[in-house]
Amino acid sequence: MSLPEYEADFYATVETVDGVILKTERAQTFREPGSPSWEAFAAGRWDEALRIAAQPNPDLAQFFARLGGQGSGLHRLRIVELPLTPYLIWELNFLRFRAEAGEQIRVLDADAVTESEQEHGRVPELMVAGSRAVYDVRYDETGLPVGAAKVVEPRVVEGCKSQILAMLDQAEPFESFFRREVDGRKPSTAHL
């Protein structure tokens, strides 16, 4: 699916989701054109990027509240490598505001998946919508999202779900990781 097709399909699936929504993020750098906060970060305007990210987002809070009312919720597993890339310093600051709005986020050190990745390959960028579908989100070589492949085979969906839940169990709560590794840090603009 193209990016617009994936986004439309995913949000339609979420309307009738029958369980938690799980998201994995493994890449250490993405590009997010269209996000004003990311664009300010990419242009080296750190204070502006943080100010934009901190702006209240009633639509996002309403989305998370609606998911909670459905007995669902969005649970993000952010796999990180240390030292943090400039992108990750920005993203983790951005995610802090998403966590405050209701997203459930946990952070896992990449060392915890090294053995599994050596055997099975890199943890993919996935969105799992309850037991309905898994979306394998695709990116180009620069980290720009380009679309997704959708799988609805119950065995595959359940397998992905159980693997992500197992990693989430090993992961650290977002806030403690943020306070220890991110709070107060500014990304180097030399690597943007």
Side-chain angles (χ1 to χ4, degrees), residues 2-187:
S2 70
L3 185 60
E5 290 169 332
Y6 154 60
E7 289 174 344
D9 193 89
F10 173 75
Y11 285 107
T13 301
V14 165
E15 289 301 316
T16 60
V17 74
D18 60 349
V20 296
I21 300 165
L22 304 170
K23 177 177 180 62
T24 59
E25 279 187 312
R26 175 64 176 94
Q28 303 302 290
T29 301
F30 291 107
R31 289 191 321 123
E32 300 191 30
S35 162
S37 178
W38 179 84
E39 288 177 355
F41 152 72
R45 299 188 310 269
W46 180 243
D47 292 337
E48 181 184 344
L50 288 182
R51 189 173 57 256
I52 293 168
Q55 291 173 351
N57 186 335
D59 292 339
L60 186 64
Q62 185 178 21
F63 175 70
F64 290 137
R66 189 172 77 244
L67 289 178
Q70 293 172 260
S72 181
L74 176 56
H75 299 258
R76 181 187 304 248
L77 172 68
R78 189 33 157 138
I79 299 171
V80 301
E81 296 173 14
L82 297 174
L84 299 172
T85 63
Y87 170 85
L88 268 178
I89 294 170
W90 168 78
E91 185 195 40
L92 292 164
N93 274 280
F94 186 81
L95 290 179
R96 188 174 204 190
F97 299 107
R98 289 182 65 95
E100 289 172 2
E103 184 172 345
Q104 304 298 309
I105 305 170
R106 294 180 70 85
V107 180
L108 185 64
D109 189 302
D111 289 346
V113 297
T114 299
E115 189 175 310
S116 175
E117 287 186 331
Q118 288 172 347
E119 186 175 340
H120 303 289
R122 192 173 174 94
V123 174
E125 314 296 328
L126 299 178
M127 291 293 293
V128 180
S131 64
R132 301 218 190 284
V134 173
Y135 299 88
D136 183 357
V137 184
R138 306 293 168 85
Y139 296 82
D140 70 13
E141 63 281 351
T142 71
L144 184 69
V146 295
K150 180 181 180 180
V151 179
V152 295
E153 167 62 39
R155 186 177 54 81
V156 174
V157 175
E158 286 304 312
C160 290
K161 190 169 149 183
S162 68
Q163 289 293 317
I164 296 169
L165 289 171
M167 288 187 287
L168 279 166
D169 281 347
Q170 296 177 51
E172 179 178 355
F174 177 81
E175 192 57 35
S176 63
F177 180 86
F178 184 90
R179 281 194 310 267
R180 185 180 69 251
E181 300 290 347
V182 184
D183 202 12
R185 290 187 61 192
K186 293 175 85 167

